[in-house]
Amino acid sequence: MPTDPVRELPGARRHVELSHVISDGMTTLPDWPGPRISDWLSRQASRDRYAPGTEFHVGRIDMIANTGTYLDTPSHRYADGADLTGVPLDRLADLPGVVVRVPAGSRAVDRPLLATYEVAGRAVLLHTGWDVHFGTGRYSGPEAPYLTGAGARWLVEAGAVLVGIDSVNIDDMRPAEVGTRPAHSTLLAAGVPIVEHLTGLAALPPQGFRFTAAPPMVAGMGTFPVRAFATLPG
């Protein structure tokens, strides 16, 4: 059952869910395999291991790292870059955030749009609205919004510490452009992590929130799904 992305918590803060649900067989990227979710130990089978009335479930998931909403670390692009174990938590958790509202119908997020925002020391979240197409053929189509190379360079120069987008890729996915990847190359070379396939950014204010997208510490992995969320004051 769908739930409100803004969940009231004890105290004065609220959390806003910014991740897609990972489900069995889902599509994140076209022609890339979806996750397979199954039982490693079912509840029924566990009854033979434990005392009467005591049972457990242990699940299993087989998936590629680029599934759902995920984080790109420098080693995703560069062989000598930091992997999931090498990116410090102060680049991933409780970051001051800013939302860049991309005008409807715009594809290229470029320097002139970004230059009106204060991004130094912040997680910069590009709100394109393209997440409404997630799971459909249009999501990866030629109209998908993206960050330009010049925009990525400006974000690095201006001091952004993380960049996220609610589109299929932070780079242009059109066939003529798909091999160049200037946004990935620029941001990850500067040690700026990327979060792709965000959702729910419409629920955030322009600023005044904290952003978290922390993956598990898996050695040798450059990308992995995250539970991305924002924390707002009451």
Side-chain angles (χ1 to χ4, degrees):
M1 178 181 298
T3 58
D4 189 331
V6 180
R7 182 166 60 89
E8 294 291 346
L9 298 175
R13 299 182 304 164
R14 296 179 295 148
H15 284 180
V16 180
E17 184 69 68
L18 302 176
S19 299
H20 289 287
V21 175
I22 295 176
S23 58
D24 184 66
M26 68 177 285
T27 297
T28 301
L29 294 164
D31 302 322
W32 292 39
R36 296 302 174 193
I37 301 172
S38 59
D39 295 333
W40 183 81
L41 178 66
S42 68
R43 295 189 183 278
Q44 182 175 356
S46 78
R47 294 168 191 164
D48 296 332
R49 301 189 179 194
Y50 302 101
T54 302
E55 63 182 41
F56 294 93
H57 174 258
V58 180
R60 174 173 179 164
I61 181 167
D62 297 282
M63 67 180 184
I64 62 172
N66 293 35
T67 297
T69 303
Y70 55 79
L71 178 85
D72 290 347
T73 69
S75 75
H76 177 50
R77 173 65 178 81
Y78 299 103
D80 60 350
D83 65 6
L84 296 174
T85 69
V87 178
L89 284 175
D90 61 9
R91 286 275 179 160
L92 304 172
D94 198 34
L95 303 171
V98 58
V99 176
V100 174
R101 307 290 186 197
V102 180
S106 298
R107 291 194 65 244
V109 181
D110 210 351
R111 181 174 184 144
L113 173 62
L114 298 167
T116 62
Y117 292 86
E118 175 57 55
V119 304
R122 298 186 180 189
V124 180
L125 309 182
L126 307 180
H127 176 213
T128 71
W130 202 249
D131 56 320
V132 299
H133 304 298
F134 186 82
T136 73
R138 190 178 181 192
Y139 187 64
S140 59
E143 303 90 358
Y146 65 96
L147 175 66
T148 67
R153 288 191 295 274
W154 185 86
L155 287 171
V156 169
E157 294 164 1
V161 297
L162 179 148
V163 180
I165 192 169
D166 59 356
S167 186
V168 65
N169 201 288
I170 204 161
D171 274 298
D172 192 347
M173 289 286 284
R174 290 177 299 174
E177 306 294 336
V178 74
T180 57
R181 293 291 198 268
H184 274 93
S185 298
T186 299
L187 294 173
L188 296 179
V192 178
I194 299 166
V195 181
E196 293 176 309
H197 309 281
L198 287 164
T199 189
L201 296 180
L204 296 183
Q207 55 187 346
F209 63 91
R210 314 291 290 191
F211 178 76
T212 296
M217 296 178 68
V218 185
M221 296 285 282
T223 62
F224 209 81
V226 292
R227 184 77 177 265
F229 63 90
T231 303
L232 285 70

